[in-house]
Amino acid sequence: MDRKSLFENLAAHGVRGLQPYVPGKPIDELEREYGISQSIKLASNENPLGPPASALRALNAAATQLALYPDGSGHALKQALADHFAIDPACLTLGNGSNDILVLLAESFLTPAVEAIFDQYSFVVYRLAAQAADAVIRIAPSNPAGHAQPYGHDLGAFTAMLSDRTRLIFIANPNNPTGTWISGEALYEFLKRVPAHTIVVVDEAYAEYVSCDGYPDTLGWLAQFPNLVVTRTFSKIYGLAGLRVGYAISHPDLAEILNRVRQPFNVNSLAQVAAIAALADQEFLQRARDLNRSGLAELTDAFTAMRLTVVPSIGNFVLVDLGRPAAPVYEALLRAGIIVRPVANYGFPNHLRITVGLPEQNRRLTATLRKIVEADS
Ligand SMILES: *Cc1c(COP(=O)(O)O)cnc(C)c1O
C-alpha cells in the first residue's frame, strides 16, 4: 500500500475524504505567479479600509508583553464585549476567529450518532466541522433561483429535517456566499419549533454591516432560547482578519461546555488588545458601513448594467451570475491583477463572489469585468 492510502486508512473516519478549505488567493501568490504588481483582492470579504488605527496603536503598545502567555480567559475582551452588548461575560466564548468557535461547537456536540443540518449553499466550514466530527450531515435545500432571497436558507426545509437526532443546526445570516438573509420574524418562528436537544448556531459574521429593517435581534432572544448560539467576528467589518478573533454568545452553561475543548490560549494577546480597541472605535465602524453601502450599490448597478444577474446582498460582498462558466472570467481578472472568489466549490460554477472594495477598486473591477464580458459576447 502506498503511503498516501496508508495514512488515508489511518485517519479518523470523518477525516477520510475531507477536502480542505480553499481560501481566496493571496495577493503575494498572484504577483509571484503572474509577475505583476498593483494587484487588488476582492475575494475574502476583508475590510478595504484596513485595520482601525486605534487597534494598531493598542497592538504596538502590547507587543512588549509578547514573551508572556495571553490571558487564557480573555477577561478584558470579554468584559468589553459584555459592556458593549449589555450581557453577562459568562455568556461569551472567545475563538481564534469565529471559525474556531464553529469547530468547538462541532467537537463538543457532534458524534456519529447525531445529525447536523445546514443549507445547501452555506459557508463550507459548517460541512468541514461536522464531517471532521463524523456526524450525519443533512443538507437543507435552498430557496429556488426565482425566490426573493435566491439560493437563501429555506427554514421550512430545515424544519422538515428536524429529528430526535438533530444536535446542531448552522444558519448563516446573512449567508456567505449568497449575501441573502432571514428576517427576525421567520427566524423567531423557526426557533420556537426547534426542540431543546437541538442547538441552533446563528452565524452573524456580517451583522455589523446590516442596515435593513427586520434583521433579527438574536441577542435579545438568548434568555428565551437557551439552545441558541450567536457567533460574531472581528475579521469582517472590524478589519482584523489577520489577527484571528471571533466569539460566541450563548447560555453560560453552553459556553462552559465549549470552554472544556477550547485550547487554553486560543486567542493571542495582540488579538485581544486590538479587538478591545476596535470595539471601542465605533467611528471606524460607521465609516466602514457607509463605504460598504455606497460600494455595494455601485457594484450592483454596474453588474446590472452589464446584464448580469446579481443576488441581492446585505453583506460586504455580492454573488454575481455571469450566465457562463465563471472560471475563464476569474482567470482573466487575475491576469488583470484582480482577485475575486470563484464559487464552483459551493455549487455555483457560473457565479463569482466579489467583495466590496474602495471606490477606485470597485471601478477598476467593474471596468475590467465589462471588457472581459463584452469581448466574450
Ligand atoms: C468570514 C466568515 C466567518 C468568519 O471567519 P473568522 O475569520 O474565522 O471569524 C464566519 N462565518 C461566515 C459565514 C463567514 O463568511
Side-chain angles (χ1 to χ4, degrees):
M1 196 187 298
D2 65 27
R3 194 88 44 204
K4 190 167 166 20
S5 37
L6 170 66
F7 288 135
E8 183 71 21
N9 285 319
L10 293 177
H13 186 257
V15 177
R16 290 179 211 164
L18 206 59
Q19 296 293 323
Y21 183 82
V22 183
K25 198 177 191 63
I27 285 183
D28 284 352
E29 186 182 303
L30 172 74
E31 299 196 338
R32 210 165 50 234
E33 284 177 7
Y34 288 67
I36 56 177
S37 59
Q38 308 287 312
S39 307
I40 57 171
K41 185 181 175 204
L42 302 173
S44 301
N45 303 343
E46 294 144 331
N47 189 331
L49 290 172
S54 54
L56 291 183
R57 282 192 298 273
L59 179 154
N60 272 312
T64 56
Q65 301 303 308
L66 276 177
L68 304 177
Y69 277 99
D71 174 2
S73 69
H75 177 82
L77 175 54
K78 279 188 185 171
Q79 193 56 56
L81 286 164
D83 292 345
H84 181 77
F85 293 117
I87 56 172
D88 180 350
C91 297
L92 289 159
T93 306
L94 302 182
N96 188 10
S98 56
N99 193 139
D100 189 23
I101 302 283
L102 301 172
V103 172
L104 294 180
L105 284 158
E107 287 177 344
S108 300
F109 293 105
L110 294 181
T111 72
V114 300
E115 300 175 357
I117 307 178
F118 48 83
D119 174 272
Q120 177 183 1
Y121 294 124
S122 60
F123 191 41
V124 287
V125 168
Y126 309 151
R127 177 192 292 277
L128 289 174
Q131 203 171 324
D134 208 12
V136 178
I137 290 174
R138 309 285 313 269
I139 311 252
S142 302
N143 291 332
H147 193 278
Q149 297 290 326
Y151 316 111
H153 290 20
D154 174 1
L155 292 181
F158 279 73
T159 308
M161 286 182 169
L162 291 173
S163 81
D164 292 346
R165 308 202 313 160
T166 312
R167 186 60 49 81
L168 214 48
I169 294 175
F170 291 104
I171 290 172
N173 199 28
N175 184 39
N176 170 13
T178 58
T180 53
W181 63 289
I182 301 166
S183 72
E185 213 174 324
L187 188 57
Y188 187 79
E189 286 309 309
F190 175 71
L191 288 170
K192 284 202 296 189
R193 289 164 194 262
V194 176
H197 67 259
T198 300
I199 292 156
V200 181
V201 182
V202 180
D203 177 346
E204 297 185 347
Y206 303 94
E208 300 88 351
Y209 276 113
V210 175
S211 57
C212 60
D213 289 337
Y215 183 73
D217 170 27
T218 47
L219 300 186
W221 300 343
L222 286 163
Q224 186 180 351
F225 302 113
N227 56 341
L228 171 64
V229 182
V230 178
T231 63
R232 297 265 182 115
T233 183
F234 284 93
S235 298
K236 302 290 158 63
I237 201 166
Y238 286 104
L240 297 175
L243 280 178
R244 315 302 306 127
V245 49
Y247 53 99
I249 309 170
S250 71
H251 193 282
D253 294 344
L254 196 152
E256 193 274 319
I257 299 281
L258 299 183
N259 197 44
R260 297 179 195 182
V261 292
R262 185 182 65 82
Q263 280 185 40
F265 304 107
N266 64 332
V267 182
N268 72 73
S269 49
L270 299 187
Q272 291 187 32
V273 295
I276 293 169
L279 188 67
D281 195 345
Q282 293 296 311
E283 218 170 281
F284 175 83
L285 212 72
Q286 195 52 48
R287 208 148 50 87
R289 211 180 270 132
D290 293 344
L291 186 76
N292 186 64
R293 186 176 308 118
S294 55
L296 188 60
E298 205 179 314
L299 287 183
T300 303
D301 290 350
F303 297 146
T304 307
M306 292 177 220
R307 300 178 188 283
L308 305 178
T309 309
V310 178
V311 176
S313 169
I314 63 164
N316 66 337
F317 58 91
V318 63
L319 186 68
V320 192
D321 185 354
L322 302 176
R324 75 198 80 187
V329 179
Y330 168 68
E331 288 292 334
L333 286 169
L334 285 184
R335 283 193 294 276
I338 303 173
I339 310 169
V340 297
R341 191 59 159 267
V343 278
N345 62 325
Y346 278 95
F348 291 117
N350 289 357
H351 290 70
L352 290 173
R353 193 196 68 195
I354 298 170
T355 305
V356 177
L358 297 171
E360 60 270 27
Q361 296 176 329
N362 297 335
R363 282 193 290 273
R364 177 169 162 193
L365 177 271
T366 52
T368 310
L369 183 63
R370 191 178 300 115
K371 273 190 230 150
I372 296 168
V373 168
E374 279 169 4
D376 209 35
S377 54

